[in-house]
Amino acid sequence: MPLKVEFLFDFGSPNAYLAEIAIPGIERRTGVKFAYVPILLGGIFKATGNMSPFDSLRGIKNKPEYQALETQRFIRRHNVTKFRQNPFFPVNTLMLMRGAVAAQFEGVFEPYFRAAYHHMWEEPKKMDDLEIFRSAFISSGIDIDRLIARAQQDDVKKRLIDLTNDAVSRGAFGSPTFFVGKEMFFGKDQLRDVEESIVEQTRQPVSKTA
């Protein structure tokens, strides 16, 4: 069976945005395609008692500054040029994530995904405001009214809930989370280990001849 490699993401996570930029390089080097799995980060936080670094690091001396330094190192290592902090962070991503599921069902996930990340972390906007949300996607050529309507249907809502609950049941507590087969990795800084695990799990055993 082919190795299943999954990228569990929520558009509200800047670290998931940064991690995704490195995925195509890993795919080229390993020959393995990642499956993009939408999850609702707020649901995961509620289920696990976790919270975003925006909240958990508030008031802590030195740690936020160090994490900002690590982010800059990651940006330099991967030559990230378009990333901008979203001044409206944190953003409620329920519309965005339901839209991602709807886009997968409708076969337009790639353009929707790129547009969502563009308007969250490249030309940042308040993407939990419905009118701003609509205008942003329309400007990117997305038939967003069709996806908004699709996102209100029960199968889309259930799919997002099921993916989120499944992520928690497998050990996830945030985003980005990666699964290489059954092995879980959390955070953009684990991408080297993700790639190493892919190589190890896809390495063909050497046949022995008598």
Side-chain angles (χ1 to χ4, degrees):
M1 292 291 292
L3 178 65
K4 187 175 185 180
V5 180
E6 300 164 90
F7 167 52
L8 279 58
F9 72 94
D10 183 303
F11 291 120
S13 167
N15 286 323
Y17 167 87
L18 292 170
E20 196 275 334
I21 289 174
I23 287 177
I26 298 174
E27 291 180 328
R28 286 193 300 271
R29 290 188 294 271
T30 64
V32 172
K33 296 293 289 183
F34 283 59
Y36 283 47
V37 181
I39 50 88
L40 189 62
L41 193 52
I44 286 184
F45 285 166
K46 184 176 180 180
T48 61
N50 195 13
M51 63 182 70
S52 75
F54 180 83
D55 296 312
S56 65
L57 296 180
R58 187 181 291 122
I60 297 178
K61 184 176 177 61
N62 296 332
K63 190 173 181 180
E65 290 79 6
Y66 178 75
Q67 292 210 333
L69 175 62
E70 284 290 277
T71 295
Q72 288 306 310
R73 288 170 176 163
F74 186 94
I75 285 171
R76 288 195 301 271
R77 182 183 309 127
H78 295 282
N79 194 29
V80 179
T81 59
K82 296 180 180 180
F83 175 70
R84 302 290 182 271
Q85 289 288 350
N86 191 314
F88 305 103
F89 184 82
V91 173
N92 185 318
T93 58
L94 182 60
M95 285 194 299
L96 282 163
M97 300 317 299
R98 283 180 176 171
V101 175
Q104 286 185 332
F105 282 177
E106 296 298 305
V108 292
F109 176 72
E110 178 67 19
Y112 177 91
F113 178 88
R114 295 299 159 201
Y117 263 153
H118 175 77
H119 295 294
M120 272 296 296
W121 300 110
E122 295 174 359
E123 292 184 9
K125 300 173 181 67
K126 186 173 172 53
M127 292 296 283
D128 51 6
D129 181 301
L130 180 57
E131 285 309 309
I132 293 173
F133 176 95
R134 286 187 68 252
S135 296
F137 279 107
I138 289 170
S139 74
S140 293
I142 306 296
D143 186 358
I144 194 60
D145 288 328
R146 178 167 70 97
L147 290 178
I148 288 173
R150 186 71 177 89
Q152 298 309 308
Q153 296 179 8
D154 288 342
D155 60 337
V156 171
K157 294 178 180 180
K158 182 178 184 301
R159 177 65 173 166
L160 183 59
I161 291 170
D162 288 347
L163 290 172
T164 301
N165 289 339
D166 179 66
V168 173
S169 72
R170 290 195 287 165
F173 53 86
S175 175
T177 295
F178 300 90
F179 284 95
V180 182
K182 295 182 178 180
E183 293 292 319
M184 189 186 92
F185 301 86
F186 172 73
K188 68 183 186 302
D189 299 318
Q190 300 303 312
L191 280 170
R192 297 181 198 184
D193 291 335
V194 168
E195 184 167 354
E196 183 178 277
S197 182
I198 292 171
V199 171
E200 288 177 351
Q201 294 191 51
T202 55
R203 185 179 294 137
Q204 296 297 316
V206 178
S207 61
K208 297 181 179 179
T209 57

